[in-house]
Amino acid sequence: INNIDDIITSEKFPKIIYFFGEEEFLIEEALEKLIHYLCPSKDSKYDFDSFNALDVSTVNLKEEFSKNVVDSCSSYPFVNSKRVVVVRNFDELFAIGRTKKKDVKPSALKNYFDNPQDTTTLLLTGIGAKYKGLSAQMKSAKDRQKALTQIEKADFPFNIIFAKYEWMEFPKVYENGLLTWLIARFKANKKEINHEAAELLLAHCNPDLREINNEIVKVLLYVQERETITNQDVNFIVASSRVNNVFELQKQIGKKNLAKAVAITENILANDDKKMLIITIITTYFTKLWKLYEIASKESNQYKLAGIIGVSPFFVNEYLSALKNYSSAQLNKAFLAIAEAEEKMKSSSTNALYLFEKMYIDIMEN
């Protein structure tokens, strides 16, 4: 598999898919995307099962674990057309570990791999260290035969998976490839970012894809519908420290933490006079909370909720937590407080920090 979207677009879901490689973040992202597509509703839980092989150490436990996985895979779907079974850290079932045996072949799994259930998609994840670089070799005319030979000589069950079923490798993105990855990530979201702005954003992140992606999401939320990302956009996100930016501000407002909200606002205003931009960000934040308030009781799929309110699925729980602190009446009150503060900022010379503090008090009081 070259792209997880290819499976979703084709709607031809393989019986077994193995995701492996060193980039755990990308593996989990692809896995979750496929799970949420195959299990779109809260009733999908009846057709979903998840296992983790990380703590299964002895031969007997591995056999029992494998039987449980196979039993789950062999069940027919109750609500959806497909049953979905996930096994994380699948490689651990075949690791030597404390078993002191090199040839670990749970018989239940062996039989299932020979004849998998048509109505089940089995999703497996692992590091697959022995098969590092296999996808690159398969794509290379020079190395393809070498890859095919490696597949033929692979241990069970990887010889069967690579030969008969679907698999996708997520090789490590090294530091010299992070800039290209970051730019491609924006492009996938139909945004353009110049090299200087991309390098600036990267300079404020550790070489970790999960952290970099979180910063990308912040930039996307900030620019909203605008297609081009500038140096100024990135500067606004990263200029202040991580605990003093607009996204931390809205989080503290969601928690009704007045002291921290005021402190962050003071720091932002001290670095740059962005009072109207702060108003815009807070207005957008409460608009998203209002939308979430209207649909959260009817929809539990985080990917659908994320699409409706326009945030990354990774931030939906943060919004849901904030919603517990605000009733519909309080949300209405928040919009009135924001409108009042905005009007005074435009028409008077009153100190902006004072107006923000008053606005936060009006928003947060019960």
Side-chain angles (χ1 to χ4, degrees):
I1 301 168
N2 292 318
N3 192 316
I4 197 69
D5 291 326
D6 294 342
I7 295 177
I8 293 173
T9 302
S10 69
E11 295 189 348
K12 295 178 180 177
F13 300 104
K15 298 175 185 178
I16 299 172
I17 312 175
Y18 177 47
F19 298 113
F20 73 100
E22 296 176 83
E23 289 295 354
E24 182 185 352
F25 164 67
L26 294 181
I27 292 173
E28 196 62 27
E29 183 183 58
L31 182 67
E32 290 299 320
K33 189 172 187 178
L34 201 51
I35 289 171
H36 283 290
Y37 186 85
L38 288 166
C39 302
S41 70
K42 60 183 179 182
D43 292 329
S44 296
K45 64 183 179 181
Y46 297 110
D47 296 325
F48 176 79
D49 226 338
S50 181
F51 300 86
N52 195 325
L54 194 60
D55 298 320
V56 183
S57 54
T58 68
V59 172
N60 288 338
L61 285 175
K62 289 180 178 184
E63 283 288 356
E64 183 181 352
F65 181 91
S66 300
K67 287 176 182 176
N68 291 336
V69 170
V70 170
D71 286 345
S72 180
C73 289
S74 301
S75 300
Y76 286 97
F78 182 70
V79 176
N80 301 321
S81 59
K82 282 276 187 182
R83 181 167 177 75
V84 179
V85 178
V86 175
V87 182
R88 288 179 170 84
N89 299 296
F90 177 69
D91 304 17
E92 292 297 318
L93 279 178
F94 309 93
I96 298 173
R98 294 192 294 274
T99 65
K100 306 298 181 184
K101 292 185 178 181
K102 294 183 179 180
D103 190 24
V104 179
K105 294 182 180 179
S107 56
L109 268 183
K110 188 175 187 309
N111 293 334
Y112 186 80
F113 274 70
D114 288 337
N115 187 28
Q117 183 81 8
D118 290 334
T119 54
T120 296
T121 293
L122 174 60
L123 303 173
L124 313 168
T125 75
I127 297 174
K130 292 175 68 173
Y131 310 104
K132 180 180 177 179
L134 188 63
S135 60
Q137 291 178 346
M138 287 292 287
K139 294 172 185 176
S140 167
K142 178 184 175 183
D143 297 326
R144 184 175 173 81
Q145 188 54 50
K146 180 181 176 182
L148 292 172
T149 301
Q150 185 181 9
I151 289 172
E152 188 178 344
K153 294 181 178 180
D155 296 330
F156 171 85
F158 305 102
N159 56 340
I160 299 175
I161 292 172
F162 291 131
K164 290 180 61 177
Y165 301 111
E166 303 297 330
W167 53 275
M168 188 173 183
E169 183 180 6
F170 295 85
K172 184 171 179 59
V173 180
Y174 292 97
E175 286 197 47
N176 61 2
L178 290 176
L179 185 64
T180 301
W181 184 85
L182 182 147
I183 292 172
R185 196 77 169 183
F186 276 113
K187 193 171 183 180
N189 284 277
K190 299 180 180 179
K191 306 289 184 185
E192 294 293 331
I193 184 171
N194 63 56
H195 275 258
E196 187 178 351
E199 287 173 349
L200 176 62
L201 185 59
L202 206 56
H204 286 78
C205 301
N206 291 313
D208 174 79
L209 294 192
R210 190 181 299 277
E211 180 179 337
I212 295 169
N213 184 69
N214 285 342
E215 296 305 305
I216 289 171
V217 170
K218 291 176 184 178
V219 174
L220 293 173
L221 286 171
Y222 173 62
V223 300
Q224 297 190 41
E225 300 301 322
R226 192 151 40 85
E227 294 181 358
T228 303
I229 295 162
T230 66
N231 294 19
Q232 289 75 18
D233 296 326
V234 174
N235 262 317
F236 182 72
I237 299 300
V238 303
S240 51
S241 70
R242 279 187 173 81
V243 296
N244 289 321
N245 60 40
V246 288
F247 297 99
E248 184 61 25
L249 171 60
Q250 69 180 32
K251 184 190 294 186
Q252 296 307 324
I253 292 172
K255 291 179 177 179
K256 289 192 172 182
N257 191 322
L258 177 62
K260 284 190 177 181
V262 172
I264 293 169
T265 303
E266 185 176 12
N267 281 313
I268 294 173
L269 292 173
N271 289 320
D272 203 350
D273 184 15
K274 293 284 188 181
K275 57 180 181 288
M276 298 314 298
L277 195 50
I278 295 172
I279 287 287
T280 300
I281 292 292
I282 295 173
T283 303
T284 302
Y285 177 67
F286 276 99
T287 301
K288 293 180 189 301
L289 285 181
W290 180 257
K291 287 181 180 178
L292 194 60
Y293 178 83
E294 292 184 321
I295 61 170
S297 61
K298 305 171 186 175
E299 179 59 65
S300 61
N301 186 305
Q302 289 199 354
Y303 275 74
K304 286 191 175 182
L305 290 174
I308 293 168
I309 67 173
V311 301
S312 164
F314 298 106
F315 290 98
V316 170
N317 282 334
E318 183 181 309
Y319 280 80
L320 288 170
S321 294
L323 201 57
K324 293 177 182 177
N325 295 322
Y326 290 94
S327 65
S328 61
Q330 288 174 314
L331 291 175
N332 279 321
K333 187 180 175 185
F335 286 115
L336 292 173
I338 294 167
E340 181 182 348
E342 182 178 8
E343 180 60 32
K344 288 183 178 179
M345 286 181 196
K346 288 178 178 178
S347 61
S348 74
S349 57
T350 307
N351 179 272
L353 183 60
Y354 167 78
L355 291 175
F356 275 117
E357 184 173 1
K358 183 180 183 304
M359 182 185 79
Y360 297 151
I361 292 171
D362 290 341
I363 289 173
M364 295 179 192
E365 69 178 359
N366 294 324

